[in-house]
């Protein structure tokens, strides 16, 4: 219950620390969170917050990037969850002009969950990268 409250109140440092402890101990979520394990709860809570921060034009870092190795690697989650992380990282990279990074994350998002809705962004990245590579280097 305390861990849930920490995430609800956006106290992620303490929430993540408590979550790690609970996962190590094999604890389960309270009954009202039917069929959700701690990893799923934490991953969902952080990505929902990250999208809200992004929408409000605030940075979801460092939590967004720090969670990626857990959600797409260590933890067993439904593919939609890590797909959302890659999608948001890709969107942010695209806006920052980091097209190859954006393309990598958007393609991974789509690989994990084909219905992620990244087709237009991937196409834009590929076209912009092709244009960059075709342009002569100016010195």
């Amino acid at each position: 219950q305390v861990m849930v409250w920490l995430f609800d109140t956006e106290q992620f440092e303490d929430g993540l620390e408590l979550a790690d402890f609970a996962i190590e101990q094999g604890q389960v979520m309270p009954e009202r969170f039917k069929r959700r394990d701690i990893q799923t709860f934490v991953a969902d809570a952080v990505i929902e917050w990250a999208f809200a921060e992004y929408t409000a034009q605030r940075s979801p870092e460092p939590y967004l990037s720090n969670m990626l190795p857990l959600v797409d690697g260590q933890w067993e989650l439904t593919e939609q969850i890590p797909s959302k992380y890659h999608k948001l990282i890709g969107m942010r990279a695209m806006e920052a002009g980091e097209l190859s990074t954006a393309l990598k994350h958007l393609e991974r998002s789509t690989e994990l969950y084909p219905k992620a809705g990244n087709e237009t962004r991937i196409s834009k990245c590929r076209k912009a990268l092709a244009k960059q590579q075709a342009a002569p280097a100016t010195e």
Side-chain angles (χ1 to χ4, degrees), residues 10 12-13 16 46 49 60-68 85:
E10 299 177 2
F12 295 127
E13 293 295 323
L16 290 167
V46 172
W49 169 84
E61 296 298 346
Y63 305 107
L64 179 65
S65 295
N66 289 350
M67 291 289 295
L68 188 62
Y85 278 80

Side-chain angles (χ1 to χ4, degrees), residues 30-57:
E31 182 60 34
R32 65 187 170 99
F33 293 91
K34 293 175 178 53
R35 295 182 309 228
R36 289 180 83 193
D37 59 15
I38 292 169
Q39 296 89 324
T40 301
F41 172 80
V42 170
D44 270 342
V46 172
I47 196 61
E48 286 174 18
W49 169 84
F51 267 105
E53 289 296 290
Y54 172 78
T55 302
Q57 299 183 336

Side-chain angles (χ1 to χ4, degrees), residues 10-136:
E10 299 177 2
Q11 296 180 54
F12 295 127
E13 293 295 323
D14 292 335
L16 290 167
E17 192 175 320
L18 193 54
D20 284 342
F21 184 73
I23 291 166
E24 281 179 27
Q25 287 190 336
Q27 293 184 30
V28 295
M29 289 294 291
E31 182 60 34
R32 65 187 170 99
F33 293 91
K34 293 175 178 53
R35 295 182 309 228
R36 289 180 83 193
D37 59 15
I38 292 169
Q39 296 89 324
T40 301
F41 172 80
V42 170
D44 270 342
V46 172
I47 196 61
E48 286 174 18
W49 169 84
F51 267 105
E53 289 296 290
Y54 172 78
T55 302
Q57 299 183 336
R58 293 186 298 260
S59 174
E61 296 298 346
Y63 305 107
L64 179 65
S65 295
N66 289 350
M67 291 289 295
L68 188 62
L70 295 173
V71 300
D72 190 14
Q74 275 185 269
W75 293 349
E76 286 189 31
L77 303 166
T78 63
E79 50 283 326
Q80 288 107 320
I81 297 171
S83 176
K84 289 177 186 177
Y85 278 80
H86 282 288
K87 181 176 184 172
L88 184 53
I89 291 169
M91 289 165 54
R92 295 187 75 236
M94 202 172 163
E95 289 174 3
E98 300 164 2
L99 299 176
S100 57
T101 299
L103 184 59
K104 179 182 86 168
H105 285 286
L106 293 169
E107 286 176 336
R108 178 66 178 148
S109 172
T110 301
E111 176 188 329
L112 288 164
Y113 186 61
K115 297 178 183 174
N118 295 313
E119 295 78 15
T120 302
R121 287 184 188 92
I122 289 172
S123 177
K124 283 182 182 177
C125 282
R126 285 183 179 151
K127 285 177 187 170
L129 284 168
K131 197 174 185 179
Q132 281 180 0
Q133 291 168 353

